């Protein structure tokens, strides 16, 4: 497969940085489309350019000029206020279709944007493919293994995450002693874990007696090439602060941002990381 | 139907106070079982007594002595840490069955507790029955009516609330422009609305351009006699602060705490209150 430079369309969070670092490690050129207001400042060290998210014509022109044959969309992007977007000519042509897709949920919006690039002749690569084996393996990732009760909480959390994914709500849920403590929507996983830490102590675990699980699962309708759920060392820190016993996902369907750091944090904090098959 | 004194088993929030006030208005005697750590201090003005929630023998004895023929469970109760409960003799006998039910979710726990009272010969009355017509009527309750887009958001919010109810997660959801902003679990409606107010402004409405809806629906498996969703004037205040255009539920399946106050708040803030049929 030809390895032209990758056009990395970068939203917020750690995932785009991990993708760019992986390209570096493989000696592959990358051109970063840094979306204004979202892309992490660390992305400034790669060739690239800042773009307003509606400057679609300018983005296409720039990534063609950079010789890119394929794009990777990665990272979180809040939905814009479509009324205040400043599209360029190409963007203005495409915007009505994008807005229509947006009213049908995140997934429809994502698929619409991917199809725009495909219609322009670009390939689409998933962050998960680019990151290779850096997805969650089956079983315990670190030193700690969940006991039967903990695994039962995790399975329920994954079930709730998947069901809420079917409704295009989000990717994550927290369950403790069989009770659903929190479901993630637009606030994101970090915010949800902070909320669990704020719940009454009798509902959740604590450092001396950890219980409960964060489960993250892709939406069943989600295009895995773009927005597979991720966990990183910070996820482990926040899960520990919420008194949880561990974190898990479906094996192969959860991206690990810096796998050694995830394992180190989990082992240090005494949390399990589990890949359910 | 004989109208013996009502034993009001009172958890937190406004609903038990509304029930007790309604009994007063109807000249019916009420004996309030104030659950330690949950019941509102306003309940101290009715005959009653404070009880730890596991003192089941003492509670049964007290409500029999007060001549009560039926009980009404109302208000929120956080799940206890069953290991630190201090049951009396009767409570100790019943606790294993209660704990077993609790692991199956809020609904199973609730049904178990109701059946305990029924097994002891008490009738069970729902807060909604006692509050009579104080449930949400069909259509617009106040001055403001939702437009087509707003109603579409509300319908989606109710759909998500009902689906999450099927999973025994919670009763409420917020949808704006077709996007699920938040789903309620153990944090409660007020906390969820505050979280929506904290989301990026481009995701939600604001006072000058309200959009989005809070929908509250009973869990399909929920015993409506005990825990029908409620809204009050404070719900309207928090919905307004989150930029929402309105609040709604299924007609007849949402309790209004102080209906005139709900209408006054909605009209003053420019929000609709809608009962979907």
């Amino acid at each position: 497969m030809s390895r032209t430079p990758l056009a990395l369309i970068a939203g917020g969070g750690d995932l785009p940085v991990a993708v760019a670092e992986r390209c570096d490690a493989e000696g592959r050129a990358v051109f970063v489309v840094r979306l204004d207001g979202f892309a992490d400042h660390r992305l400034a060290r790669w060739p690239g350019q800042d773009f307003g998210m509606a400057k679609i014509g300018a983005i296409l022109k720039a990534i063609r000029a950079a010789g890119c044959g394929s794009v990777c969309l990665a990272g979180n992007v809040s939905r814009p206020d479509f009324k205040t977007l400043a599209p360029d000519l190409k963007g203005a042509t495409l915007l009505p279709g994008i807005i229509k897709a947006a009213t049908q949920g995140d997934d429809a919006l994502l698929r619409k944007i991917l199809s725009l690039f495909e219609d322009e002749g670009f390939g689409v690569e998933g962050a998960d493919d680019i990151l290779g084996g850096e997805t969650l393996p089956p079983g315990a990732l670190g030193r700690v293994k969940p006991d039967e009760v903990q695994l039962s909480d995790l399975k329920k959390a994954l079930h709730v995450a998947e069901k809420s994914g079917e409704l295009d709500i989000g990717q994550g849920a927290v369950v403790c002693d069989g009770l659903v403590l929190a479901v993630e929507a637009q606030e994101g996983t970090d915010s949800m874990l902070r909320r669990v830490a704020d719940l009454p102590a009798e509902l959740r675990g604590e450092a001396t007696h950890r219980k409960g699980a964060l489960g993250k699962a892709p939406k069943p309708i989600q295009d895995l090439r773009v927005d597979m759920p991720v966990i990183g060392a910070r996820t482990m820190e926040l899960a520990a602060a919420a008194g949880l016993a561990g974190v898990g996902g479906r094996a192969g369907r959860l991206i690990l941002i810096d796998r050694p750091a995830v394992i180190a944090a989990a082992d240090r904090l005494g949390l399990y990381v589990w890949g359910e098959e």
Side-chain angles (χ1 to χ4, degrees), chain A:
Chain A
M1 154 175 148
S2 93
R3 298 279 273 177
T4 60
L6 178 72
L8 174 60
I9 318 287
D14 293 332
L15 185 60
V17 180
V19 169
E21 285 171 345
R22 175 58 60 114
C23 288
D24 270 3
E26 296 183 350
R28 182 178 188 189
V30 61
F31 180 89
V32 185
V33 172
R34 298 181 297 255
L35 296 176
D36 278 348
F38 301 108
D40 195 282
H41 62 94
R42 287 171 290 171
L43 290 165
R45 56 182 251 237
W46 284 274
Q49 196 178 328
D50 296 345
F51 292 94
M53 64 191 300
K55 307 296 188 193
I56 301 174
I59 291 172
L60 290 169
K61 190 173 167 189
I63 65 180
R64 280 209 182 94
C68 301
S70 59
V71 301
C72 170
L73 273 69
N76 298 313
V77 175
S78 299
R79 287 172 160 240
D81 181 342
F82 289 111
K83 283 185 300 303
T84 61
L85 278 181
D88 56 19
L89 189 60
K90 183 88 182 178
T93 314
L94 298 170
L95 207 53
I98 294 174
I99 291 175
K100 181 154 180 263
T103 63
Q104 292 156 32
D106 278 352
D107 184 63
L109 177 57
L110 207 54
R111 276 184 281 114
K112 178 70 185 176
I113 291 169
L114 285 180
S115 75
L116 294 182
F117 285 102
E118 288 172 334
D119 291 349
E120 295 286 331
F122 291 94
V124 171
E125 297 185 45
D128 56 321
D129 285 337
I130 293 170
L131 291 174
E134 300 290 349
T135 55
L136 185 66
L141 182 66
R143 189 174 41 79
V144 185
K145 285 174 182 50
D147 65 26
E148 202 176 321
V149 171
Q150 291 168 340
L151 200 54
S152 151
D153 275 347
L154 176 61
K155 285 179 180 177
K156 182 159 181 181
L158 287 173
H159 176 70
V160 170
E162 282 164 356
K163 287 289 179 183
S164 86
E166 286 174 16
L167 295 163
D168 209 5
I169 294 171
Q171 305 180 325
V174 174
V175 169
C176 183
D177 285 344
L179 187 67
V180 182
L181 297 189
V183 173
E184 177 186 342
Q186 290 296 313
E187 75 279 15
T189 305
D190 291 2
S191 170
M192 174 177 64
L193 288 171
R194 290 194 188 96
R195 169 163 99 244
V196 171
D198 285 340
L199 287 175
E202 60 269 24
L203 282 179
R204 55 178 176 79
E206 48 201 338
T208 52
H209 178 62
R210 301 203 160 280
K211 56 182 185 175
L214 163 67
K216 291 195 73 172
K219 298 177 182 176
I221 51 171
Q222 186 169 32
D223 192 317
L224 287 178
R225 292 175 298 175
V226 172
D227 195 18
M228 199 189 281
V230 300
I231 60 168
R234 190 178 60 234
T235 315
M236 304 313 299
E237 300 278 357
L238 290 168
L244 300 185
V247 170
R250 299 285 172 200
R253 308 191 74 176
L254 180 70
I255 291 178
L256 303 168
I257 305 278
D258 193 348
R259 173 187 167 125
V262 170
I263 296 174
D267 287 353
R268 176 171 50 81
L269 296 161
L271 270 66
Y272 68 80
V273 179
W274 183 263
E276 180 72 9
E277 293 199 75

